[in-house]
Amino acid sequence: MQLAQKDIVLVLVFTAALASSCVEPFEVDSGEILSALVIDATITDEMGRQAIYLTNTYGFEEEPETVSGASVRVIENETNEILFVETNPGEYRSQQEFAAQPGSSYALKITTGDGSSYSSQSASLPQAVALDSVYADRITSDLGEDGIAIFVDSFDATGNSQNFRYEYQETYKIIAPEWNDFDLLSTGIECGVDVIPKTVQNRICFASDRSTDIILTNTANLNENRVQRFMVRFMDRNNYIISHRYSIEVTQYTQSNDAASYFSSLDQFSSTESIFSESQPGFLVGNVFSEENQDEKVLGYFEVSAVSKKRIFFNYDDFYPGESLPDYVNPCMEIAPKLISQGGARCVLSAMVEANQVSYLNINDDPPFEEGPYLVVPRECGDCTVLGSNQTPEFWTE
């Protein structure tokens, strides 16, 4: 959820700037920034050190401003105080592991470093709904693109929980296409370079990305409380992240009606169409407020949610057997830089090696005058650690 809150910050800056003249032509200018605390807080029924994130609003071309030094607490059933400590700037984790319990109520309390106090409305855990299955299928998208879609199914016979939000973390294998056992090392003497054996495994790596979109569905208008073949992710067949082996873990958040309404409004609010429409929706009210100043704007939402997770793996060959892999992230054009520039004014190849710009490919036999003695490619073509980690994730299976 942390990334989704970034939408709140940026979009509401838009709204503050446009509120007085929303029919005027829009110019990308941060203008006067609405100063407000942004709260990203979801606690779940999954045992762990729950996380709450605090930032301030910021402009489009600015870095997020984290809020440090705050006192953060969650009050369970109006009596039990659960303390949070700052583990990274703006990130607060519960001192002890805990899980939200059915039948209990929870409220958020924050006191910032300047003494300002904030509270949330009380929230309770909705009835959990299990994520029955996550699966991949080859489809043609609405835009006519051939690719792989990730679908989810779930079912709740009671019908008590009808609102669902999804997030995912995807992890994929990267294989450097022009890898070999050797690399280049600058000697530091007269622009020289040596060919040396590699001492680090950098052919196979793994990279991970988290979802940033707000992905919602509900079953309120269906005959039964069943989520069936709901798509949470689509990847064009030419996306290089599915070239080898791909894994995705999907998390289903079961939401209360109030939380679902808020995130639905946020989704509409943060869409391009909403941002640039002539009818601006104004301030998106959450469930957190200032205790001292009822007119102070506070952004974000304190949510209590039941979660269910599932992970799947697949290979490109599972859906495109015998077909060519997607193009690598770089076309990997080989070049043969000279050791010294014409006239001897500067080092060429050794400077590229020192800057980690190239990977060794081969000896350039009998090079012409304008070329150097070694063939090289962009660094990521022979060193996958440019794009990911060479450590295999603990959950990874082949």
Coordinates of all heavy atoms in Angstrom, one line a residue, residues 36-116:
A36 N 0.5 18.9 4.3 CA -0.3 18.0 5.0 C 0.5 16.7 5.4 O 1.4 16.3 4.6 CB -1.6 17.6 4.2
L37 N 0.1 16.1 6.5 CA 0.6 14.8 6.9 C 0.0 13.7 6.0 O -1.2 13.7 5.8 CB 0.4 14.6 8.3 CG 0.8 13.2 8.9 CD1 2.4 13.1 8.9 CD2 0.3 13.0 10.3
V38 N 0.8 12.8 5.5 CA 0.3 11.7 4.7 C 0.5 10.4 5.5 O 1.7 10.1 5.9 CB 1.0 11.6 3.4 CG1 0.4 10.4 2.6 CG2 0.9 12.9 2.6
I39 N -0.5 9.6 5.8 CA -0.5 8.4 6.6 C -0.8 7.2 5.7 O -1.8 7.2 5.1 CB -1.5 8.5 7.8 CG1 -1.1 9.7 8.7 CG2 -1.5 7.2 8.6 CD1 -2.1 10.1 9.7
D40 N 0.1 6.2 5.7 CA -0.1 5.0 5.0 C -0.1 3.9 6.1 O 1.0 3.5 6.6 CB 1.1 4.8 4.0 CG 1.0 3.5 3.3 OD1 0.1 2.7 3.5 OD2 1.9 3.2 2.5
A41 N -1.2 3.4 6.4 CA -1.3 2.4 7.5 C -2.3 1.3 7.3 O -3.5 1.6 7.2 CB -1.7 3.2 8.8
T42 N -1.8 0.1 7.1 CA -2.7 -1.0 7.0 C -2.2 -2.1 8.0 O -1.0 -2.5 7.9 CB -2.7 -1.6 5.6 OG1 -3.2 -0.6 4.7 CG2 -3.5 -2.9 5.5
I43 N -3.0 -2.5 8.9 CA -2.6 -3.6 9.8 C -3.5 -4.8 9.4 O -4.7 -4.6 8.9 CB -2.7 -3.3 11.3 CG1 -4.2 -3.0 11.7 CG2 -1.8 -2.2 11.6 CD1 -4.3 -2.9 13.2
T44 N -3.0 -6.0 9.4 CA -3.7 -7.2 8.9 C -3.7 -8.3 9.9 O -3.1 -8.2 11.0 CB -2.9 -7.7 7.7 OG1 -1.7 -8.4 8.0 CG2 -2.6 -6.6 6.7
D45 N -4.4 -9.4 9.6 CA -4.5 -10.6 10.4 C -3.3 -11.5 10.2 O -3.3 -12.6 10.7 CB -5.8 -11.3 10.2 CG -6.0 -11.8 8.7 OD1 -5.2 -11.3 7.9 OD2 -6.9 -12.6 8.5
E46 N -2.3 -11.0 9.5 CA -1.1 -11.8 9.3 C -0.1 -11.5 10.4 O 0.3 -10.3 10.6 CB -0.5 -11.5 7.9 CG 0.8 -12.4 7.6 CD 1.3 -12.1 6.2 OE1 1.3 -10.9 5.8 OE2 1.6 -13.0 5.5
M47 N 0.4 -12.5 11.1 CA 1.3 -12.3 12.2 C 2.6 -11.7 11.7 O 3.2 -12.2 10.8 CB 1.6 -13.6 13.0 CG 2.5 -13.5 14.2 SD 1.9 -12.4 15.5 CE 0.5 -13.4 16.1
G48 N 3.0 -10.6 12.3 CA 4.3 -9.9 12.0 C 4.4 -8.6 12.6 O 3.5 -8.1 13.3
R49 N 5.5 -7.9 12.3 CA 5.7 -6.5 12.8 C 5.0 -5.6 11.8 O 5.5 -5.3 10.7 CB 7.2 -6.2 12.9 CG 7.9 -7.0 14.0 CD 9.3 -6.5 14.1 NE 9.3 -5.1 14.7 CZ 10.4 -4.4 14.8 NH1 11.6 -4.8 14.3 NH2 10.4 -3.1 15.3
Q50 N 3.8 -5.2 12.2 CA 3.0 -4.3 11.3 C 3.7 -3.0 11.0 O 4.5 -2.5 11.8 CB 1.6 -4.1 12.0 CG 0.9 -5.4 12.4 CD 0.3 -6.2 11.3 OE1 0.1 -5.7 10.2 NE2 0.0 -7.4 11.6
A51 N 3.4 -2.4 9.9 CA 4.1 -1.2 9.4 C 3.2 0.0 9.2 O 2.1 -0.2 8.7 CB 4.9 -1.5 8.1
I52 N 3.6 1.2 9.5 CA 2.9 2.4 9.3 C 4.0 3.4 8.7 O 5.1 3.5 9.3 CB 2.3 3.0 10.6 CG1 1.1 2.0 11.0 CG2 1.8 4.4 10.4 CD1 0.6 2.3 12.4
Y53 N 3.6 4.1 7.7 CA 4.5 5.0 7.0 C 4.0 6.5 7.1 O 2.8 6.7 6.8 CB 4.7 4.6 5.5 CG 5.2 3.2 5.4 CD1 4.3 2.2 5.2 CD2 6.5 2.9 5.3 CE1 4.7 0.9 5.1 CE2 7.0 1.6 5.1 CZ 6.1 0.6 5.0 OH 6.5 -0.7 4.8
L54 N 4.9 7.4 7.4 CA 4.5 8.8 7.6 C 5.3 9.7 6.6 O 6.6 9.6 6.7 CB 4.6 9.3 9.0 CG 3.9 8.5 10.1 CD1 4.2 9.2 11.5 CD2 2.4 8.5 9.8
T55 N 4.7 10.5 5.8 CA 5.4 11.5 5.0 C 4.6 12.8 5.0 O 3.5 12.8 5.6 CB 5.5 11.0 3.5 OG1 4.2 10.7 3.0 CG2 6.4 9.7 3.5
N56 N 5.2 13.8 4.4 CA 4.5 15.0 4.1 C 4.3 15.1 2.6 O 4.9 14.5 1.8 CB 5.3 16.2 4.6 CG 5.3 16.4 6.1 OD1 4.2 16.2 6.7 ND2 6.4 16.7 6.7
T57 N 3.3 16.0 2.2 CA 3.1 16.2 0.8 C 4.3 16.8 0.2 O 5.1 17.5 0.8 CB 1.9 17.1 0.6 OG1 2.1 18.3 1.5 CG2 0.6 16.5 1.0
Y58 N 4.4 16.6 -1.1 CA 5.6 17.1 -1.9 C 5.2 17.3 -3.3 O 4.2 16.7 -3.8 CB 6.8 16.2 -1.8 CG 6.5 14.7 -2.2 CD1 6.8 14.4 -3.6 CD2 6.0 13.8 -1.4 CE1 6.6 13.1 -4.0 CE2 5.7 12.5 -1.8 CZ 6.0 12.2 -3.1 OH 5.8 10.9 -3.6
G59 N 5.9 18.1 -4.0 CA 5.7 18.4 -5.4 C 6.1 17.4 -6.4 O 6.7 16.4 -6.0
F60 N 5.8 17.5 -7.6 CA 6.0 16.5 -8.6 C 7.5 16.2 -8.8 O 7.8 15.1 -9.1 CB 5.4 16.9 -10.0 CG 3.9 16.6 -10.1 CD1 3.0 17.6 -9.8 CD2 3.5 15.3 -10.4 CE1 1.6 17.3 -9.8 CE2 2.1 15.0 -10.4 CZ 1.2 16.0 -10.2
E61 N 8.3 17.2 -8.7 CA 9.7 17.0 -9.0 C 10.6 16.9 -7.7 O 11.8 17.1 -7.7 CB 10.3 18.1 -9.9 CG 9.6 18.1 -11.3 CD 10.1 19.2 -12.2 OE1 11.0 19.9 -11.8 OE2 9.6 19.2 -13.4
E62 N 9.9 16.7 -6.6 CA 10.6 16.6 -5.3 C 10.6 15.2 -4.8 O 9.8 14.3 -5.2 CB 9.9 17.5 -4.3 CG 9.8 19.0 -4.7 CD 9.0 19.8 -3.7 OE1 8.4 19.2 -2.8 OE2 8.9 21.0 -3.9
E63 N 11.6 15.0 -3.9 CA 11.7 13.7 -3.2 C 10.7 13.7 -2.1 O 10.4 14.7 -1.4 CB 13.1 13.4 -2.7 CG 14.1 13.2 -3.8 CD 13.8 11.9 -4.6 OE1 13.5 10.9 -4.0 OE2 14.0 12.0 -5.8
P64 N 10.1 12.5 -1.7 CA 9.2 12.4 -0.6 C 9.9 12.9 0.7 O 11.1 12.6 0.9 CB 8.9 10.9 -0.5 CG 9.1 10.4 -1.9 CD 10.3 11.2 -2.4
E65 N 9.2 13.6 1.5 CA 9.7 14.1 2.8 C 9.2 13.2 3.9 O 8.0 13.2 4.2 CB 9.3 15.5 3.0 CG 9.8 16.1 4.3 CD 9.3 17.5 4.6 OE1 8.7 18.1 3.7 OE2 9.5 17.9 5.8
T66 N 10.0 12.3 4.4 CA 9.6 11.4 5.5 C 9.4 12.2 6.8 O 10.0 13.3 7.0 CB 10.6 10.3 5.7 OG1 11.9 10.9 6.0 CG2 10.7 9.5 4.5
V67 N 8.5 11.7 7.7 CA 8.3 12.3 9.0 C 8.9 11.4 10.0 O 8.4 10.3 10.3 CB 6.7 12.4 9.2 CG1 6.5 13.0 10.6 CG2 6.1 13.4 8.2
S68 N 10.0 11.9 10.6 CA 10.7 11.1 11.6 C 10.4 11.7 13.0 O 9.9 12.8 13.2 CB 12.2 11.2 11.4 OG 12.5 10.5 10.2
G69 N 10.7 10.9 14.0 CA 10.6 11.3 15.4 C 9.2 11.3 16.0 O 8.9 12.0 17.0
A70 N 8.3 10.6 15.3 CA 6.9 10.6 15.8 C 6.6 9.5 16.8 O 7.4 8.5 16.8 CB 5.9 10.5 14.6
S71 N 5.7 9.7 17.6 CA 5.2 8.7 18.5 C 4.0 8.0 17.8 O 3.0 8.7 17.6 CB 4.8 9.2 19.9 OG 4.1 8.3 20.7
V72 N 4.0 6.7 17.6 CA 3.0 6.0 16.8 C 2.5 4.8 17.7 O 3.3 4.0 18.2 CB 3.5 5.5 15.5 CG1 2.4 4.7 14.8 CG2 4.0 6.7 14.6
R73 N 1.2 4.8 17.8 CA 0.5 3.7 18.6 C -0.7 3.2 17.9 O -1.4 4.0 17.2 CB 0.2 4.2 20.0 CG 1.3 4.7 20.9 CD 0.8 5.5 22.1 NE 0.2 6.8 21.6 CZ -0.8 7.4 22.2 NH1 -1.4 6.8 23.3 NH2 -1.3 8.5 21.8
V74 N -1.1 2.0 18.2 CA -2.4 1.5 17.8 C -3.0 1.0 19.1 O -2.5 0.3 19.9 CB -2.2 0.3 16.8 CG1 -3.6 -0.5 16.6 CG2 -1.7 0.8 15.4
I75 N -4.3 1.5 19.3 CA -5.0 1.1 20.5 C -6.0 0.0 20.1 O -6.9 0.2 19.3 CB -5.8 2.3 21.1 CG1 -4.8 3.5 21.2 CG2 -6.4 2.0 22.4 CD1 -3.6 3.3 22.1
E76 N -5.9 -1.1 20.8 CA -6.8 -2.3 20.6 C -7.9 -2.3 21.7 O -7.6 -2.2 22.9 CB -6.0 -3.6 20.6 CG -6.8 -4.8 20.4 CD -5.9 -6.1 20.4 OE1 -5.0 -6.1 21.3 OE2 -6.2 -7.0 19.7
N77 N -9.1 -2.3 21.2 CA -10.3 -2.4 22.1 C -10.2 -1.2 23.2 O -10.6 -1.4 24.3 CB -10.3 -3.7 22.8 CG -10.6 -4.9 21.8 OD1 -11.3 -4.7 20.8 ND2 -10.0 -6.0 22.1
E78 N -9.7 -0.1 22.8 CA -9.7 1.1 23.6 C -8.8 1.0 24.8 O -8.8 2.0 25.6 CB -11.1 1.5 24.0 CG -12.1 1.8 22.8 CD -13.5 2.2 23.2 OE1 -13.7 2.2 24.5 OE2 -14.3 2.6 22.4
T79 N -8.1 -0.1 25.0 CA -7.4 -0.2 26.3 C -5.9 -0.7 26.0 O -5.0 -0.2 26.6 CB -8.0 -1.2 27.2 OG1 -8.2 -2.5 26.5 CG2 -9.4 -0.7 27.7
N80 N -5.7 -1.7 25.1 CA -4.4 -2.3 24.9 C -3.6 -1.4 23.9 O -4.0 -1.2 22.8 CB -4.6 -3.7 24.4 CG -3.2 -4.4 24.2 OD1 -2.3 -4.1 24.9 ND2 -3.1 -5.2 23.2
E81 N -2.5 -0.9 24.4 CA -1.6 0.0 23.6 C -0.5 -0.8 22.9 O 0.3 -1.5 23.6 CB -1.1 1.1 24.4 CG -0.3 2.2 23.6 CD 0.2 3.3 24.5 OE1 1.2 3.1 25.3 OE2 -0.5 4.4 24.5
I82 N -0.5 -0.7 21.6 CA 0.6 -1.4 20.8 C 1.5 -0.3 20.3 O 1.1 0.5 19.5 CB 0.0 -2.2 19.6 CG1 -1.0 -3.2 20.2 CG2 1.1 -2.9 18.8 CD1 -1.8 -3.9 19.1
L83 N 2.8 -0.4 20.7 CA 3.7 0.7 20.4 C 4.5 0.4 19.1 O 4.8 -0.8 18.8 CB 4.8 0.8 21.5 CG 4.2 1.2 22.9 CD1 5.3 1.3 23.9 CD2 3.5 2.6 22.8
F84 N 4.8 1.4 18.3 CA 5.5 1.3 17.1 C 6.8 2.1 17.2 O 6.8 3.1 17.9 CB 4.7 1.8 15.9 CG 3.6 0.9 15.4 CD1 2.5 0.6 16.2 CD2 3.7 0.3 14.2 CE1 1.5 -0.3 15.8 CE2 2.7 -0.5 13.7 CZ 1.6 -0.8 14.5
V85 N 7.9 1.6 16.6 CA 9.2 2.3 16.7 C 9.6 2.5 15.3 O 9.3 1.8 14.3 CB 10.3 1.4 17.4 CG1 9.9 1.3 18.9 CG2 10.4 0.1 16.8
E86 N 10.4 3.6 15.1 CA 10.9 4.0 13.8 C 12.1 3.1 13.4 O 13.1 3.2 14.0 CB 11.3 5.5 13.8 CG 11.6 6.0 12.4 CD 11.7 7.5 12.4 OE1 11.8 8.2 13.5 OE2 11.7 8.1 11.3
T87 N 11.9 2.3 12.4 CA 13.0 1.4 11.9 C 13.8 2.0 10.7 O 14.9 1.7 10.5 CB 12.4 0.1 11.5 OG1 11.4 0.3 10.5 CG2 11.8 -0.6 12.7
N88 N 13.2 2.9 9.9 CA 13.8 3.6 8.9 C 13.1 5.0 8.8 O 12.0 5.1 9.4 CB 13.6 2.9 7.5 CG 14.4 1.7 7.4 OD1 15.7 1.7 7.5 ND2 13.8 0.5 7.2
P89 N 13.7 6.0 8.2 CA 13.1 7.3 8.2 C 11.6 7.2 7.7 O 11.4 6.8 6.6 CB 13.9 8.1 7.3 CG 15.3 7.5 7.4 CD 15.0 6.0 7.6
G90 N 10.7 7.6 8.5 CA 9.3 7.6 8.2 C 8.6 6.3 8.2 O 7.4 6.2 8.0
E91 N 9.3 5.2 8.5 CA 8.8 3.9 8.6 C 8.7 3.4 10.1 O 9.7 3.4 10.7 CB 9.6 2.9 7.8 CG 9.1 1.4 7.9 CD 10.0 0.4 7.2 OE1 10.5 0.8 6.1 OE2 10.2 -0.7 7.7
Y92 N 7.5 3.1 10.5 CA 7.3 2.7 11.9 C 6.8 1.2 12.0 O 5.8 0.9 11.3 CB 6.4 3.6 12.6 CG 6.9 5.1 12.7 CD1 6.7 5.9 11.5 CD2 7.5 5.6 13.8 CE1 7.2 7.2 11.6 CE2 8.0 6.9 13.8 CZ 7.9 7.7 12.7 OH 8.4 9.0 12.7
R93 N 7.5 0.4 12.8 CA 7.1 -1.0 12.9 C 6.7 -1.3 14.4 O 7.2 -0.7 15.3 CB 8.2 -1.9 12.5 CG 8.7 -1.8 11.1 CD 8.0 -2.8 10.2 NE 8.3 -2.7 8.8 CZ 7.8 -3.4 7.9 NH1 6.9 -4.4 8.2 NH2 8.1 -3.2 6.6
S94 N 5.7 -2.2 14.5 CA 5.3 -2.5 15.9 C 6.5 -3.2 16.6 O 7.3 -3.9 16.0 CB 4.1 -3.5 15.8 OG 4.4 -4.7 15.1
Q95 N 6.6 -2.9 17.9 CA 7.7 -3.4 18.7 C 7.7 -4.9 18.7 O 8.7 -5.6 18.6 CB 7.7 -2.8 20.1 CG 8.2 -1.4 20.2 CD 8.4 -1.0 21.6 OE1 7.6 -1.4 22.5 NE2 9.3 -0.1 21.9
Q96 N 6.5 -5.4 18.8 CA 6.3 -6.9 18.9 C 5.4 -7.3 17.7 O 4.6 -6.5 17.2 CB 5.6 -7.3 20.2 CG 6.3 -6.8 21.4 CD 7.7 -7.4 21.6 OE1 7.9 -8.6 21.2 NE2 8.6 -6.7 22.2
E97 N 5.6 -8.6 17.3 CA 4.7 -9.1 16.2 C 3.3 -9.2 16.8 O 3.1 -9.6 18.0 CB 5.2 -10.5 15.8 CG 6.5 -10.4 15.0 CD 6.9 -11.8 14.5 OE1 6.2 -12.8 14.8 OE2 7.8 -11.9 13.6
F98 N 2.3 -8.9 16.0 CA 0.9 -9.2 16.3 C 0.1 -9.3 15.1 O 0.5 -8.9 14.0 CB 0.4 -8.0 17.2 CG 0.0 -6.8 16.5 CD1 -1.3 -6.5 16.2 CD2 1.0 -5.8 16.2 CE1 -1.6 -5.3 15.5 CE2 0.7 -4.6 15.6 CZ -0.6 -4.3 15.3
A99 N -1.1 -9.8 15.2 CA -2.1 -9.9 14.1 C -3.4 -9.4 14.6 O -3.8 -9.6 15.7 CB -2.2 -11.4 13.7
A100 N -4.1 -8.6 13.7 CA -5.4 -8.1 14.0 C -6.4 -9.3 14.3 O -6.3 -10.3 13.5 CB -5.9 -7.3 12.9
Q101 N -7.2 -9.2 15.3 CA -8.1 -10.3 15.7 C -9.5 -10.0 15.4 O -10.0 -8.8 15.5 CB -7.9 -10.5 17.2 CG -6.5 -10.9 17.7 CD -6.1 -12.2 17.0 OE1 -6.8 -13.2 17.1 NE2 -4.9 -12.2 16.5
P102 N -10.3 -11.0 15.0 CA -11.7 -10.8 14.7 C -12.4 -10.4 16.0 O -12.1 -10.8 17.1 CB -12.2 -12.2 14.3 CG -11.0 -12.9 13.9 CD -9.8 -12.4 14.7
G103 N -13.3 -9.4 15.8 CA -14.1 -9.0 17.0 C -13.5 -7.8 17.8 O -14.1 -7.3 18.7
S104 N -12.2 -7.5 17.4 CA -11.5 -6.4 18.1 C -11.6 -5.1 17.3 O -11.7 -5.2 16.1 CB -10.0 -6.8 18.4 OG -9.9 -7.9 19.3
S105 N -11.5 -4.0 18.0 CA -11.4 -2.7 17.3 C -10.0 -2.1 17.4 O -9.3 -2.4 18.4 CB -12.5 -1.8 17.9 OG -12.1 -1.5 19.3
Y106 N -9.6 -1.3 16.5 CA -8.3 -0.7 16.4 C -8.4 0.7 16.0 O -9.2 1.1 15.2 CB -7.4 -1.5 15.5 CG -7.2 -3.0 15.8 CD1 -8.1 -3.9 15.4 CD2 -6.2 -3.4 16.6 CE1 -8.0 -5.2 15.7 CE2 -6.0 -4.7 17.0 CZ -6.9 -5.6 16.5 OH -6.8 -6.9 16.9
A107 N -7.6 1.5 16.7 CA -7.5 3.0 16.3 C -6.0 3.4 16.3 O -5.2 2.9 17.1 CB -8.3 3.8 17.3
L108 N -5.7 4.3 15.4 CA -4.4 4.8 15.3 C -4.2 6.1 16.0 O -5.1 7.0 15.9 CB -4.0 5.0 13.8 CG -2.7 5.5 13.4 CD1 -1.6 4.6 13.8 CD2 -2.6 5.8 11.9
K109 N -3.1 6.3 16.7 CA -2.7 7.5 17.4 C -1.3 7.9 17.0 O -0.4 7.1 17.1 CB -2.8 7.3 19.0 CG -4.1 6.9 19.5 CD -5.1 8.0 19.5 CE -6.4 7.6 20.2 NZ -7.4 8.8 20.3
I110 N -1.2 9.2 16.6 CA 0.1 9.7 16.2 C 0.4 11.0 16.9 O -0.5 11.9 16.9 CB 0.2 9.8 14.7 CG1 0.0 8.5 14.0 CG2 1.5 10.5 14.2 CD1 -0.1 8.6 12.5
T111 N 1.6 11.2 17.4 CA 2.0 12.5 17.8 C 3.4 12.8 17.1 O 4.3 12.0 17.3 CB 2.3 12.5 19.4 OG1 1.0 12.2 20.0 CG2 2.7 13.9 19.8
T112 N 3.4 13.8 16.3 CA 4.6 14.2 15.6 C 5.6 14.9 16.5 O 5.3 15.3 17.6 CB 4.2 15.0 14.3 OG1 3.5 16.2 14.8 CG2 3.3 14.2 13.4
G113 N 6.8 15.1 15.9 CA 7.9 15.7 16.7 C 7.6 17.1 17.2 O 8.1 17.5 18.2
D114 N 6.7 17.8 16.5 CA 6.3 19.2 16.9 C 5.2 19.2 17.9 O 4.7 20.3 18.2 CB 6.0 20.1 15.7 CG 4.8 19.6 14.9 OD1 4.2 18.6 15.3 OD2 4.5 20.2 13.8
G115 N 4.7 18.0 18.3 CA 3.6 18.0 19.3 C 2.2 17.9 18.7 O 1.3 17.8 19.5
S116 N 2.1 17.8 17.4 CA 0.8 17.7 16.8 C 0.2 16.3 17.0 O 1.0 15.3 16.8 CB 0.8 18.1 15.3 OG 1.3 19.4 15.2

